[in-house]
């Protein structure tokens, strides 16, 4: 049987989370320093460890079938690939920054300036939209030192924690693009590969649903059951069992992360006791 080739970043901001995501789908593979490829033990995929900037190109050409890459790198590359889903991790922004001591009023202050960046496409689009004439200096790395060595007046680079800007005496003045990791694919996968991708997506979806949901167990007097059940619809309907204690029941259900604390307060106010919340590893429905 063929294997689905999955490209992930070899070393950098996305690597660890990409591997974590694969492992959470119960797919394990040998890893180790300097490895370029690795075959999973228990699932028909092969992992390719690449520079993130090269991933969109490899996917467009079909050298790799699917890949995990930042939207910043993907959009800048302008490669033709399919985006399967956003993954919600490695969030960052592409921003323009200038030396901290300089005053800045508006984007007009960038007129006539020179800006160093590894993202010329995204930057020129932004400058055009804002009718700014600036000179773009394309450099491939260590963009943050450009103003200090007199190469450019400003930079346009990825900011995540902000510590790189801070340690180089720069301040963020414009945010031009928001990014997170996405799963992308070669648009013309064979049927066999698409089947493997579907299997992978099924696991991925279960893991992601589980992350957003918790298992809840509580005891309640029978007269508050209606109220509590209405607050906890569960996937279908909660399980209710009588307790040994007369007039009391135990309720089992699942609860969503987004309104979790509000719901808990209401459930408690309705008379629930001994509320127990547990993580869910996989959720399939
Ligand atoms: C970006 C950017 C900075 C750093 C900013 O590099 O070039 O070096 O992250 O992060 P911080 O705000 O947390 O300090 P990236 O991880 O994209 O590396 P790459 O361009 O080498 O892939
Ligand atoms: Zn990179």
């Amino acid at each position: 049987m063929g294997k689905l080739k999955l490209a992930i970043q070899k070393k950098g901001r996305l690597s660890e989370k990409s591997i974590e995501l694969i492992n959470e789908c119960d797919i394990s593979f040998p890893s180790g320093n300097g490895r370029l490829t690795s075959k999973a033990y228990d699932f028909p995929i092969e992992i390719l460890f690449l520079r993130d900037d090269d991933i969109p190109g490899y996917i467009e050409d079909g050298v790799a079938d699917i890949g995990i890459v930042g939207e910043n790198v993907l959009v800048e590359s302008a490669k033709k690939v399919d985006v399967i889903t956003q993954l919600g991790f490695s969030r960052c922004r592409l921003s323009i920054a200038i030396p901290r001591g300089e005053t800045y009023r508006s984007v007009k202050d960038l007129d006539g300036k020179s800006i160093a960046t590894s993202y010329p496409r995204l930057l020129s689009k932004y400058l055009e939209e804002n009718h700014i004439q600036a000179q773009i200096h394309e450099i491939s790395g260590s963009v943050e030192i450009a103003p200090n060595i007199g190469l450019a007046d400003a930079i346009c680079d990825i900011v995540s924690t902000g510590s790189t800007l801070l340690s180089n005496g720069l301040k963020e003045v414009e945010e031009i693009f928001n990014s997170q990791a996405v799963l992308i694919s070669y648009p013309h996968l064979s049927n066999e590969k698409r089947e493997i991708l579907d299997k992978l997506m099924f696991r991925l979806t279960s893991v992601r649903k589980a992350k957003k949901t918790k298992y809840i167990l509580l005891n309640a007097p029978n007269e508050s059951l209606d109220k509590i059940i209405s607050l906890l619809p569960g996937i279908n309907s909660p399980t209710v069992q009588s307790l040994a204690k007369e007039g009391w029941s135990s309720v089992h259900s699942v609860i969503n992360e987004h309104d979790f604390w509000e719901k808990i307060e209401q459930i408690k106010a309705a008379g629930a006791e001994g509320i127990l919340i547990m993580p869910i590893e996989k959720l399939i429905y």
Side-chain angles (χ1 to χ4, degrees):
M1 189 175 175
K3 287 188 193 297
L4 189 73
K5 293 195 184 106
L6 162 62
I8 64 171
Q9 190 184 30
K10 186 164 54 185
K11 189 171 167 287
R13 250 163 347 100
L14 285 88
S15 321
E16 206 177 301
K17 290 273 185 178
S18 303
I19 291 172
E20 200 180 295
L21 190 71
I22 302 165
N23 290 338
E24 279 170 348
C25 294
D26 296 321
I27 298 169
S28 48
F29 54 89
S31 63
N33 286 345
R35 227 174 224 284
L36 297 179
T37 67
S38 181
K39 291 191 176 80
Y41 297 116
D42 36 20
F43 197 81
I45 67 171
E46 181 173 0
I47 322 277
L48 311 183
F49 301 93
L50 301 171
R51 280 191 59 225
D52 62 345
D53 310 48
D54 295 334
I55 293 176
Y58 277 105
I59 305 277
E60 184 184 49
D61 296 343
V63 174
D65 301 307
I66 59 170
I68 297 176
V69 73
E71 289 172 317
N72 55 317
V73 168
L74 177 63
V75 176
E76 181 63 33
S77 78
K79 300 290 184 195
K80 292 189 191 65
V81 303
D82 287 349
V83 175
I84 305 173
T85 182
Q86 293 186 314
L87 294 169
F89 64 80
S90 294
R91 289 179 189 274
C92 63
R93 51 196 189 269
L94 183 65
S95 292
I96 298 176
I98 62 168
R100 204 179 304 146
E102 281 174 25
T103 51
Y104 185 87
R105 287 164 300 265
S106 78
V107 67
K108 289 194 182 62
D109 292 351
L110 297 171
D111 230 340
K113 295 283 167 64
S114 61
I115 309 175
T117 191
S118 319
Y119 295 86
R121 189 174 268 121
L122 282 164
L123 176 59
S124 61
K125 182 167 171 277
Y126 175 82
L127 294 174
E128 236 165 70
E129 281 166 6
N130 287 278
H131 313 290
I132 303 297
Q133 301 274 347
Q135 198 193 339
I136 299 178
H137 265 293
E138 184 178 347
I139 49 178
S140 60
S142 303
V143 172
E144 60 277 0
I145 63 165
N148 294 322
I149 60 171
L151 181 71
D153 302 310
I155 66 160
C156 172
D157 200 12
I158 292 301
V159 183
S160 148
T161 60
S163 74
T164 303
L165 291 187
L166 192 70
S167 59
N168 286 279
L170 302 170
K171 65 176 176 190
E172 203 175 344
V173 292
E174 299 289 347
E175 199 176 301
I176 74 170
F177 185 80
N178 272 292
S179 173
Q180 61 175 283
V182 282
L183 184 65
I184 58 176
S185 91
Y186 175 59
H188 318 288
L189 290 180
S190 66
N191 288 339
E192 189 186 22
K193 292 197 167 172
R194 201 160 283 283
E195 257 173 52
I196 305 173
L197 177 58
D198 287 346
K199 285 201 167 104
L200 180 68
M201 288 310 295
F202 179 72
R203 294 193 187 192
L204 204 70
T205 312
S206 321
V207 170
R208 291 167 77 203
K209 274 188 206 151
K211 276 192 180 170
K212 289 190 187 138
T213 318
K214 303 249 181 291
Y215 189 76
I216 178 168
L217 239 164
L218 59 89
N219 295 336
N222 289 344
E223 60 270 21
S224 30
L225 282 180
D226 285 347
K227 170 80 183 155
I228 289 171
I229 289 167
S230 73
L231 289 165
L232 286 176
I235 291 171
N236 205 323
S237 140
T239 307
V240 179
Q241 287 167 320
S242 324
L243 290 186
K245 186 171 157 190
E246 187 70 32
W248 280 71
S249 298
S250 106
V251 179
H252 304 220
S253 190
V254 295
I255 185 165
N256 263 326
E257 182 189 63
H258 80 275
D259 56 356
F260 176 79
W261 287 109
E262 280 159 50
K263 282 271 172 79
I264 295 291
E265 278 167 28
Q266 291 170 317
I267 288 164
K268 199 161 175 298
E273 288 180 7
I275 304 171
L276 197 65
I277 310 290
M278 288 176 287
I280 297 175
E281 194 182 288
K282 311 261 179 340
L283 186 62
I284 295 145
Y285 56 81

